[in-house]
Amino acid sequence: MTRVTTFTASPDTLLPTELNNIQDDAEELLEQRHILHEFSSSGINTTQDRYVGLPNQNHTITASVAEVLFANCWFWYDPAQWKTSLLPVRKPRLMLRAVYHRGSTTAGTSISVGLRRIQNAGGSTAAGLPRVTDSVTFTALTFSPSDASGTVKTTTAFDMSGEIAGPYAVRLIVTGTHSGLSWNLQGQVLAWTQE
Amino acid sequence: MARTKTFANSGSLLPADLNLMDTDVEDILTQWRPYHRAGAMMITHQDYTNKFTYFASTTTGGVVFTDKIVIPGLFGPSGVFRIDPNDFAGRKRRCRIAVSYINNSTAHPNHIMSFGLYPVTYGTAGGADSIPTIVTTSAMGGSTARLVAPVANGVGRVTSGEFPLPQKGDYMFGVMVTGPNENGNINVNIELETRAASS
């Protein structure tokens, strides 16, 4: 066990700096980011609209209503699990980060990837698969086809303190013509707590 | 940097300040944090009386249920993951299983789904070209999260009680389902979460 300082009965050993260091240590713990969700998707000359998870766990969305075929396309998030009880209030945060790779062609329209809260859309047939749709949309990342391979983009830190517990997902949208464009996108949803 | 109080040489240190700092650290240590996750589509529109399945971490599509808690052949993603208490310094750790789900439009009034953390051992391979076998017996005590009779279009989360961090070894998530064919298909995410025990 490594302490900032081990205090003894001698009052001379207690310095304001040491108490501040203890609090800074606690804050560091809160601000460490955890990976809540990972996703990867790729395309060649394709338009896409998918909830994305780990490789081969994407699912195409039709008219904003999807059949949920693969569980890892979504994840559960409860902001209450990322709060502390004391002042100053630290807010539960989520952030989306993705890296873009492409082939030599740079034609086509942008590639958008964003965090969504999803909800049950109902309407599945008996013995059919559950269907979901977007509930809340957060600001997305946008990659231009001409972005260099290895370009990393990050959203701002979303303040999730006003959000509710529930299923969340990452939605990838590629529209328009992509003549010869091949691309790959990999990313993460990160969770932490910060003032 | 958010401190409960920034101290200076002002004589402002009170017992309450130290108590607040201690509470703050306690909050941080005892929050549930994700450790491992898997998920799958559970196709339950068949007779699943006492059927078992496990969850590979990269399962695509539906999972396959078996009559017994023995995985006969391991070919592809196994869903097995390592737990080692040495990864956690300091206080004893607590664990729980959390299962989130999205159901289709059919209720499951007679289904009980018991998700749990299953210790794994490795079977002996057979002859040439045989597929390796993994074996599990029963869920760890206290690790069962029960999803009882999910409603039509249900979305939610159930958790197990708290149980101690298991001993070093390999584990996987599994579920035992009881109940008849109910035309229900349910999509699940299973998580092992951990936190420090309250002091």
Side-chain angles (χ1 to χ4, degrees):
Chain A
M1 189 70 77
T2 304
R3 296 185 177 118
V4 175
T5 300
T6 297
F7 297 105
T8 66
S10 168
D12 292 337
T13 66
L14 178 60
L15 299 174
T17 304
E18 290 163 344
L19 293 176
N20 293 335
N21 285 343
I22 292 170
Q23 294 180 84
D24 292 345
D25 258 4
E27 195 65 19
E28 273 185 25
L29 283 171
L30 279 172
E31 293 184 8
Q32 286 175 358
R33 293 171 182 170
H34 295 251
I35 297 171
L36 273 194
H37 184 66
E38 293 181 277
F39 60 91
S40 176
S41 193
S42 56
I44 300 175
N45 285 334
T46 54
T47 60
Q48 294 192 22
D49 191 351
R50 302 171 182 274
Y51 293 124
V52 286
L54 292 171
N56 301 318
Q57 293 180 320
N58 309 324
H59 192 66
T60 303
I61 294 168
T62 304
S64 297
V65 177
E67 288 190 331
V68 180
L69 281 173
F70 307 113
N72 286 347
C73 287
W74 62 280
F75 60 98
W76 190 269
Y77 176 68
D78 182 358
Q81 265 183 242
W82 299 81
K83 285 180 178 173
T84 55
S85 60
L86 295 181
L87 293 173
V89 172
R90 285 80 164 243
K91 295 170 181 171
R93 306 275 187 183
L94 284 185
M95 186 178 84
L96 181 64
R97 175 171 67 197
V99 57
Y100 170 80
H101 298 277
R102 63 167 171 80
S104 58
T105 300
T106 58
T109 54
S110 61
I111 298 168
S112 160
V113 60
L115 178 70
R116 312 293 177 104
R117 186 151 67 78
I118 59 173
Q119 63 187 5
N120 200 318
S124 69
T125 58
L129 298 171
R131 298 154 63 85
V132 296
T133 187
D134 291 344
S135 170
V136 176
T137 300
F138 298 84
T139 305
L141 295 175
T142 301
F143 290 91
S144 163
S146 59
D147 283 340
S149 277
T151 297
V152 177
K153 294 192 177 180
T154 305
T155 65
T156 56
F158 300 124
D159 173 5
M160 303 300 287
S161 50
E163 300 298 330
I164 61 171
Y168 289 75
V170 172
R171 185 167 174 178
L172 174 75
I173 301 174
V174 185
T175 57
T177 303
H178 294 265
S179 181
L181 177 68
S182 62
W183 56 271
N184 178 279
L185 207 64
Q186 296 176 63
Q188 299 163 323
V189 177
L190 301 166
W192 75 103
T193 308
Q194 194 169 19
E195 188 178 15
Chain B
M1 193 65 78
R3 295 172 179 148
T4 56
K5 187 173 184 177
T6 296
F7 295 99
N9 279 315
S10 61
S12 63
L13 176 63
L14 302 171
D17 294 327
L18 294 174
N19 292 335
L20 285 175
M21 288 166 55
D22 194 32
T23 302
D24 219 17
V25 171
E26 190 70 15
D27 268 2
I28 296 162
L29 288 172
T30 56
Q31 288 174 334
W32 289 109
R33 289 290 176 261
Y35 184 79
H36 184 74
R37 189 181 89 178
M41 186 73 228
M42 288 173 54
I43 311 291
T44 56
H45 56 92
Q46 300 175 37
D47 184 351
Y48 281 117
T49 305
N50 293 320
K51 298 285 185 174
F52 174 81
T53 194
Y54 71 104
F55 295 90
S57 53
T58 55
T59 298
T60 57
V63 291
V64 178
F65 286 80
T66 62
D67 286 317
K68 51 187 179 180
I69 306 180
V70 174
I71 312 302
L74 176 58
F75 196 75
S78 69
V80 172
F81 57 97
R82 188 73 169 173
I83 296 177
D84 186 346
N86 290 322
D87 294 340
F88 300 94
R91 282 190 209 175
K92 289 181 178 176
R93 305 291 297 186
R94 307 292 291 172
C95 296
R96 73 177 182 183
I97 299 290
V99 179
S100 48
Y101 61 93
I102 300 175
N103 192 22
N104 73 351
S105 297
T106 304
H108 304 238
N110 299 304
H111 272 160
I112 298 175
M113 304 170 189
S114 299
F115 298 85
L117 181 67
Y118 285 76
V120 166
T121 57
Y122 296 95
T124 305
D129 301 329
S130 69
I131 297 172
T133 300
I134 54 176
V135 181
T136 187
T137 52
S138 58
M140 275 202 57
S143 75
T144 300
R146 278 161 52 96
L147 178 52
V148 179
V151 299
N153 299 318
V155 175
R157 194 182 205 213
V158 294
T159 58
S160 71
E162 295 183 24
F163 57 96
L165 187 71
Q167 64 184 18
K168 184 163 68 176
D170 291 332
Y171 296 83
M172 63 185 183
F173 296 127
V175 63
M176 182 73 76
V177 179
T178 61
N181 179 358
E182 291 183 319
N183 282 328
N185 290 322
I186 192 161
N187 202 272
V188 293
N189 269 316
I190 311 160
E191 278 180 294
L192 175 63
E193 295 184 326
T194 179
R195 66 174 181 83
S198 300
S199 60

